[in-house]
Amino acid sequence: MSSAPVADIALIGLAVMGQNLILNMNDHGFVVCAYNRTKDKIKSFLENEAKGTKVVGANSLEDMVSKLKSPRRVMLLIKAGDAVDEFIKLLVPLLSPGDIIIDGGNSAYQDSERRARDLEKKEILFVGSGVSGGEDGARYGPSLMPGGNLKAWPHIKPIFQSICAKSNGEPCCDWVGEYGAGHFVKMVHNGIEYGDMQIICEVYHLMRNGLKLSQDEMSAVFDDWNKGELDSFLIEITRDILKYKDEKGYLLERIRDTAGQKGTGKWTAIAALDYGMPVTLIGESVFSRYLSTLKSERELASTILTGPDETFKGDKKQFLSHLRKALYAAKIISYAQGFMLLRETAKLYKWNLNYGSIALMWRGGCIIRSAFLGNIKAAFDKNPKLSNLLLDDFFAKAMKECHQSARVVVSTAVTLGIPTPALSTALAFYDGYRTARLPANLLQAQRDYFGAHTYELLGQEGKFVHTNWTGHGGKVSASTYEA
C-alpha cells in the first residue's frame, strides 16, 4: 500500500554490500527504503540487521517509488549487465523528470555511457558510481566514484559525501565526470588493484622460495614496510594473512595457488589495448592469474622442465632492502600507467576528469588506499596537465632512488628462476619510457619491407613514405591491412 514520501533514497539489492550501505546511510541520518525482488529478503533484513533503524521496506517498485521524496533517488546494487537494464526499464515509467537512478555495481563503463545518454533523453538523471572497499567499506565508509549526469550531483552529494570514507577529514568521494566516467575510474582502480596484488605476491614468492623466510619472518617484514612509504591496505592485510593460524597451523600454505577474477582487470587491459596505452603491469597481472589456473599443467611441467636452484645465497638483509625499493618503484609505475589510461580515455570521450580529486577518492575506504596517493594529488594540483606521474619531481626522485634496487631484484629473480612478470615489466616500462630513441625505427622498416606500410623520416614527421627495399617491389603503399 502506498504511503506519504518518507525516504531520502531507495536501494535495490539486499546482498551483503547492499545491506551494509543501507545501514551506513541510516547511521548518517538518512531514511532508506529497501527493496529486493525476493520479498523474504526484505522481511528478514528489516527484522534482523535493520531492526531498530529508520529503514523502511517496500512490497513493490510502485510502493518503493511512492515512499521517496522528490527528486526520487534510486540506487541499484545488483549484478552488472542485463539485470541493470531490466530494472531501469521497470523504473522509468514510475519516475518523473529530474529523478535519479544510480548504478553502484561493477558495470562496464560503456554500459554506463549508454545508459546515461539514453536516460538523458527521457529526462531521468543517471549516475554510474564506483563503490570500493568491500563489505567493511560499504558499512563504515567506502570510496565512492560517481559519474554520469552532472545535474544529479547536488542531489546525491550530501548522502555520498556523508557515508564515504574520510582522509584527513576530507571525503573520499567527489564528482568524477560525465556519462561513463565513474565506472571507468572504478575499472582503472580495480586494474591498479590487480597490479598491486601481483607485485606483492611476487615479492612474497621471492621471500618464501628464494630467501626461505618463515611466515612469521615475512609478516614482520611487511609490518615494518607498512610503517614507511609502502603504508597501504594491501601491505597491511598481507602482513595479517602471513601470520594467520588456525587449529591446523598457517592457513596460507594450504590455499590452492589458482587465482580467480571478476573481469575488471581484464577490462582495464582491453581498454589499454583499445586506446593504445602501454598499461603493461596490469596486463601482466591479468595474465599471471590466467597462468595460475593452469595448475595441473604446471605440476606436470615441474617434473619435466629444468631450472636453476631457487635458493638465494647473498646478504638477505640487503636484498630485503632492495626488495622494498623494487616494490615501491613498481607501485609507482602501476599508478603512472593507470593515470595515463585515464587521461587518454578522457580525451577520447571528452570527460573532464579531476585527477587530483580521483587520487584523493582513493586515499581512504578502498582496496588500493595508500600513503602516496597524497603525493599523486599534490602532483596534479601543481600541474593539472601533467602527462605522466613519472615526470613529477616527487616521483622522478623516488624512481631515481629505487630503480637500481629494482634491477638487482629482477636480475636476481631471473638467476634464481623465480617468475616476476609484473616487477620485470615495471622496470622494462620505466626504461622504455626514459629512452629517447627506441628500436621502433627498425620495426617500421620491417613493416614497410614486407607490407609497404610506410614510415616517417626524422625531421619530416607527418610525411609517410615507402621504399622499394628489394628493387623488384612496387612503389604503391599498402592500405588494405595492418600488421
Side-chain angles (χ1 to χ4, degrees):
M1 185 178 292
S2 297
S3 57
V6 293
D8 299 297
I9 188 169
L11 193 142
I12 298 173
L14 294 181
V16 176
M17 283 287 287
Q19 290 188 15
N20 283 353
L21 213 55
I22 289 171
L23 295 174
N24 186 351
M25 291 177 184
N26 178 80
D27 288 349
H28 287 85
F30 300 103
V31 177
V32 187
C33 182
Y35 179 77
N36 200 83
R37 270 183 170 166
T38 308
K39 304 299 186 292
D40 288 345
K41 247 187 178 175
I42 304 172
K43 185 172 182 290
S44 174
F45 177 57
L46 294 174
E47 292 175 353
N48 294 284
E49 293 85 359
K51 188 176 181 180
T53 69
K54 293 181 180 178
V55 178
V56 297
N59 298 319
S60 65
L61 288 176
E62 290 82 358
D63 183 30
M64 180 195 77
V65 169
S66 73
K67 290 179 177 177
L68 288 170
K69 298 173 188 175
S70 184
R72 301 179 185 95
R73 293 164 283 202
V74 181
M75 186 167 186
L76 303 172
L77 215 61
I78 59 177
K79 186 177 180 181
D82 292 341
V84 176
D85 287 318
E86 288 170 17
F87 261 109
I88 290 174
K89 189 176 179 181
L90 294 170
L91 283 167
V92 167
L94 306 176
L95 300 177
S96 303
D99 286 346
I100 301 158
I101 296 175
I102 307 159
D103 175 16
N106 258 340
S107 289
Y109 71 94
Q110 299 97 326
D111 287 341
S112 292
E113 186 86 4
R114 167 180 56 80
R115 289 164 185 152
R117 292 183 184 278
D118 288 349
L119 287 171
E120 189 174 44
K121 296 170 188 172
K122 299 171 183 175
E123 298 184 86
I124 303 296
L125 311 181
F126 178 83
V127 173
S129 179
V131 179
S132 180
E135 298 170 13
D136 199 55
R139 181 67 185 87
Y140 300 108
S143 170
L144 298 171
M145 298 154 250
N149 194 315
L150 182 58
K151 292 177 183 176
W153 180 229
H155 303 293
I156 67 170
K157 181 179 179 179
I159 299 176
F160 274 38
Q161 291 198 337
S162 293
I163 67 170
C164 72
K166 308 297 186 294
S167 177
N168 296 325
E170 296 183 79
C172 296
C173 168
D174 204 346
W175 187 252
V176 171
E178 302 84 347
Y179 301 112
H183 274 129
F184 190 85
V185 168
K186 175 57 164 59
M187 182 195 77
V188 173
H189 162 284
N190 283 23
I192 293 172
E193 179 184 310
Y194 271 57
D196 263 9
M197 293 170 75
Q198 179 62 28
I199 56 180
I200 291 171
C201 288
E202 291 175 14
V203 165
Y204 155 72
H205 197 173
L206 281 164
M207 287 182 184
R208 179 181 179 274
N209 288 36
L211 304 186
K212 310 296 183 189
L213 299 185
S214 69
Q215 288 198 211
D216 279 341
E217 287 173 325
M218 287 186 279
S219 180
V221 170
F222 279 102
D223 183 53
D224 181 57
W225 288 357
N226 200 47
K227 296 169 185 171
E229 69 271 14
L230 287 171
D231 173 19
S232 64
F233 174 74
L234 285 169
I235 294 290
E236 182 183 311
I237 68 167
T238 301
R239 172 200 67 195
D240 296 343
I241 290 167
L242 281 161
K243 67 182 179 183
Y244 183 86
K245 289 181 180 178
D246 58 17
E247 65 281 356
K248 295 180 181 178
Y250 290 109
L251 177 58
L252 182 59
E253 285 300 298
R254 305 198 307 275
I255 296 176
R256 193 166 186 262
D257 58 317
T258 55
Q261 60 175 309
K262 289 189 175 179
T264 44
K266 179 179 74 175
W267 294 351
T268 309
I270 290 170
L273 290 168
D274 284 343
Y275 306 139
M277 282 291 104
V279 186
T280 54
L281 198 150
I282 294 170
E284 283 293 348
S285 301
V286 175
F287 287 129
S288 293
R289 294 197 187 193
Y290 292 155
L291 181 59
S292 79
T293 64
L294 305 178
K295 177 67 172 173
S296 58
E297 288 184 49
R298 289 189 290 112
E299 287 178 336
L300 174 62
S302 71
T303 67
I304 299 171
L305 304 178
T306 60
D309 178 7
E310 288 187 336
T311 307
F312 178 78
K313 296 180 174 65
D315 184 328
K316 290 184 181 181
K317 186 175 180 181
Q318 185 183 56
F319 187 72
L320 283 171
S321 177
H322 288 311
L323 208 50
R324 175 181 60 80
K325 290 181 180 179
L327 181 57
Y328 187 48
K331 192 176 176 74
I332 290 171
I333 296 296
S334 181
Y335 282 79
Q337 291 183 353
F339 276 91
M340 284 169 63
L341 181 57
L342 287 175
R343 183 171 287 282
E344 182 63 22
T345 310
K347 285 181 194 172
L348 293 169
Y349 281 90
K350 296 181 172 57
W351 296 332
N352 295 299
L353 301 186
N354 185 325
Y355 304 101
S357 289
I358 290 168
L360 181 61
M361 285 179 232
W362 292 347
R363 281 191 69 186
C366 67
I367 306 303
I368 65 170
R369 62 182 181 265
S370 57
F372 85 166
L373 281 160
N375 301 111
I376 294 179
K377 184 180 187 302
F380 284 112
D381 284 349
K382 187 166 57 178
N383 181 7
K385 295 183 179 179
L386 183 67
S387 60
N388 193 300
L389 281 175
L390 296 177
L391 303 179
D392 174 73
D393 291 345
F394 175 86
F395 293 104
K397 183 182 177 185
M399 291 303 299
K400 183 179 180 180
E401 294 171 354
C402 293
H403 75 87
Q404 290 292 359
S405 289
R407 298 180 199 287
V408 171
V409 167
V410 170
S411 60
T412 301
V414 171
T415 303
L416 297 176
I418 295 175
T420 54
L423 290 172
S424 299
T425 199
L427 182 59
F429 172 84
Y430 175 72
D431 283 340
Y433 189 70
R434 67 177 187 84
T435 300
R437 186 176 173 90
L438 290 169
N441 56 324
L442 174 57
L443 193 149
Q444 279 298 88
Q446 290 170 334
R447 293 178 72 242
D448 191 56
Y449 189 110
F450 68 69
H453 290 298
T454 73
Y455 54 85
E456 298 169 283
L457 289 168
L458 290 170
Q460 297 181 36
E461 288 78 7
K463 181 183 177 183
F464 292 86
V465 295
H466 165 57
T467 291
N468 182 353
W469 297 90
T470 61
H472 52 74
K475 294 182 179 180
V476 180
S477 61
S479 60
T480 55
Y481 72 94
E482 297 288 342

